[in-house]
Amino acid sequence: GAVVSQHPSWVICKSGTSVKIECRSLDFQATTMFWYRQFPKQSLMLMATSNEGSKATYEQGVEKDKFLINHASLTLSTLTVTSAHPEDSSFYICSARDWSSGSIKNTGELFFGEGSRLTVL
Amino acid sequence: AQSVTQLDSQVPVFEEAPVELRCNYSSSVSVYLFWYVQYPNQGLQLLLKYLSGSTLVKGINGFEAEFNKSQTSFHLRKPSVHISDTAEYFCAVRPYNQGGKLIFGQGTELSVKP
């Protein structure tokens, strides 16, 4: 199947700093990527939909100025957590949809990255 | 709007026993249905999916699920579990024509004991 890679896998930062997480589709082009947040022992909550070449669409309750999303190319989306605080500590997971295959386009299958664990001290 | 309910937060089971992880959903539109597995500190891996056709779908690692439209359920089953099946399992739905957005259930922690 298609491969989605996230970097970094782990990041520890001081409160008040900004952290960037990358999500790359390695063997396909992804016009749409999705960012999820997962708290310990909880489900994945969709944060935003990242669209190549346009602004991201944020879910209700997600601060767009806090979580900056950029999707500058067909294979890369970035999530920047600005002025991070301890409550931002979480597991962030991206996913991407491969539009190149007609069958996949109609089935909605997404490919997930390995996740990035952010710890803010 | 859509919602997904996984009825059991934790399921302990002995090795080689059968297991069923329950999932119910609510949606005003048609949806595709998925089961994912997550191992600690890792992303999600697709186990199986229902798109159309036969309501019994088979996935990887010996798992299968059955779509029941009248009961809006998509329960996951395995006839004989292994220690390596210990993980978190998520049921998810994707509404038709909403750009790939997935709505997840709360997750079920499957713990297989020797």
Side-chain angles (χ1 to χ4, degrees):
Chain A
V3 178
V4 175
S5 178
Q6 278 183 247
H7 178 80
S9 302
W10 298 82
V11 57
I12 300 173
C13 69
K14 293 182 179 180
S15 186
T17 61
S18 295
V19 175
K20 180 184 286 187
I21 300 171
E22 296 184 345
C23 177
R24 294 182 184 272
S25 55
L26 298 186
D27 51 2
F28 66 100
Q29 294 182 330
T31 55
T32 304
M33 291 184 175
F34 301 89
W35 286 96
Y36 291 86
R37 181 174 182 177
Q38 185 180 31
F39 291 102
K41 301 293 185 181
Q42 293 188 29
S43 187
L44 284 77
M45 300 302 297
L46 179 64
M47 297 175 67
T49 302
S50 172
N51 303 298
E52 186 268 336
S54 64
K55 291 182 178 179
T57 303
Y58 290 82
E59 296 298 303
Q60 190 172 10
V62 178
E63 299 176 62
K64 59 183 179 181
D65 295 329
K66 174 75 171 176
F67 299 100
L68 299 179
I69 291 173
N70 183 277
H71 194 154
S73 78
L74 287 171
T75 59
L76 173 65
S77 174
T78 60
L79 168 67
T80 301
V81 183
T82 62
S83 186
H85 292 285
E87 58 265 30
D88 299 324
S89 298
S90 192
F91 194 54
Y92 294 88
I93 304 176
C94 72
S95 67
R97 194 174 181 211
D98 183 357
W99 286 93
S100 64
S101 165
S103 62
I104 293 178
K105 176 180 179 178
N106 293 326
T107 64
E109 181 172 353
L110 299 177
F111 299 95
F112 285 82
E114 312 95 325
S116 300
R117 181 162 300 285
L118 170 63
T119 301
V120 184
L121 302 177
Chain B
Q2 294 78 32
S3 67
V4 180
T5 302
Q6 291 181 241
L7 299 164
D8 307 292
S9 59
Q10 294 180 319
V11 173
V13 64
F14 287 106
E15 193 175 17
E16 298 184 3
V19 70
E20 179 179 78
L21 307 183
R22 297 179 293 169
C23 172
N24 286 90
Y25 70 94
S26 171
S27 177
S28 57
V29 300
S30 297
V31 296
Y32 302 117
L33 297 143
F34 304 82
W35 274 99
Y36 288 88
V37 59
Q38 184 181 34
Y39 298 100
N41 294 311
Q42 294 187 27
L44 275 68
Q45 181 181 7
L46 180 67
L47 277 178
L48 49 77
K49 59 183 181 282
Y50 174 78
L51 309 173
S52 63
S54 173
T55 56
L56 181 64
V57 293
K58 295 187 182 298
I60 62 171
N61 301 341
F63 284 94
E64 64 179 33
E66 185 157 19
F67 170 53
N68 187 318
K69 188 173 182 179
S70 62
Q71 297 185 5
T72 59
S73 67
F74 191 53
H75 300 333
L76 180 71
R77 295 191 291 260
K78 185 169 182 177
S80 175
V81 295
H82 302 290
I83 298 288
S84 58
D85 292 323
T86 295
E88 190 84 16
Y89 291 80
F90 291 97
C91 180
V93 301
R94 184 220 151 195
Y96 286 9
N97 301 323
Q98 287 196 15
K101 179 190 299 188
L102 278 175
I103 295 97
F104 287 90
Q106 304 91 324
T108 297
E109 183 182 354
L110 175 64
S111 176
V112 182
K113 304 179 187 303

